[in-house]
Amino acid sequence: MPIEENEARLRLLQGFYTLVNADEVRRFLRVYPDAADVLIEARPHIERIFGSNTRAALEVTFDPDSESLRDSEELFGNIRTSLPVEEALDQLSQFDDEWFLAQLTRAGGRLNFNLEFV
């Protein structure tokens, strides 16, 4: 993918997602460019289910017990919410069932969504 296109998608993502470890997120999205498409497409689904003012944070995580950290990396979209726990979990389950689970393979199985309570 051309660098300019990748940078344009990254700018678009930064309009909705906070990049927790920005350098790692940028590198991850260069390695797994389909993840950026999934993240862009996720926005209206997150807003529909969690509300239009909902923010999310992107963070690359690694399994510390893995022999190869790069082979264990995963990008999390942490949906920030102040909803009661049960309600937020129900909404995350709805997001998964209605849209996200069908997208898992598009990002090489290395993208996931979770909740971050604020």
Side-chain angles (χ1 to χ4, degrees):
M1 167 175 306
I3 293 173
E4 300 82 23
E5 185 178 336
N6 197 35
E7 289 302 314
R9 291 183 347 180
L10 192 56
R11 282 191 300 277
L12 182 62
L13 288 171
Q14 287 176 305
F16 182 60
Y17 297 96
T18 300
L19 307 185
V20 174
N21 47 0
D23 291 340
E24 286 296 324
V25 171
R26 285 185 192 95
R27 185 201 49 74
F28 182 95
L29 293 174
R30 281 192 299 273
V31 174
Y32 302 100
D34 290 340
D37 293 332
V38 174
L39 290 165
I40 291 166
E41 293 168 23
R43 180 178 180 164
H45 298 282
I46 291 169
E47 289 180 344
R48 178 178 54 80
I49 294 169
F50 289 91
S52 61
N53 293 326
T54 301
R55 298 284 300 171
L58 297 179
E59 182 175 13
V60 176
T61 64
F62 301 92
D63 179 352
D65 295 328
S66 175
E67 290 183 22
S68 169
L69 289 180
R70 292 289 178 218
D71 288 340
S72 73
E73 70 183 347
E74 189 170 5
L75 180 64
F76 275 88
N78 295 313
I79 301 168
R80 294 179 168 168
T81 183
S82 58
L83 293 171
V85 172
E86 286 299 317
E87 185 178 345
L89 289 171
D90 287 346
Q91 288 180 331
L92 182 62
S93 184
Q94 178 185 353
F95 173 76
D96 286 345
D97 293 342
E98 290 181 7
W99 184 76
F100 181 63
L101 292 177
Q103 314 307 316
L104 280 176
T105 58
R106 290 179 56 204
R110 294 183 182 268
L111 172 64
N112 206 340
F113 284 88
N114 206 349
L115 299 171
E116 180 179 331
F117 292 93
V118 292

